[in-house]
Amino acid sequence: MAGVQRLNIIDDATGTVYGSGNLAFASSGNYLLSVIATNTASTDAEIYVYVVPAGWTANTQWGLIAYKLPLPAYNSYETFRFGVTSTDEVYVAGSAGVRYTVQGINQI
């Protein structure tokens, strides 16, 4: 039986905007994921976590997990668990100084 694995860490030191965020995870199978966002800055932040299915370029077709979620200084937030399938991509964006950890379980 597979356990929870850390799949990627993104340290967004400069900040990114929704729609042109950082690729946090490109799925090659079926996974159950969550994303932990930690605000390492002394100022409040906002975060975005979203799933882009293969070939879907319009942001109206993306799966929004966290949208403009406020994240106070020196705090963390973990998303609910969500499923992705092969070829889905998970992106993160938001204020400068936020570190994102993608963790999940491969659904064999």
Side-chain angles (χ1 to χ4, degrees), residues 14-37:
T14 59
T16 51
V17 296
Y18 172 70
S20 60
N22 297 296
L23 176 61
F25 182 70
S27 182
S28 59
N30 297 326
Y31 281 84
L32 184 62
L33 302 177
S34 71
V35 176
I36 300 170

Side-chain angles (χ1 to χ4, degrees), residues 62-87:
W62 299 346
L64 301 174
I65 306 302
Y67 184 84
K68 204 172 182 178
L69 182 72
L71 184 58
Y74 304 119
N75 277 282
S76 294
Y77 173 82
E78 181 176 8
T79 67
F80 54 86
R81 285 154 193 86
F82 58 95
V84 294
T85 60
S86 126
T87 71

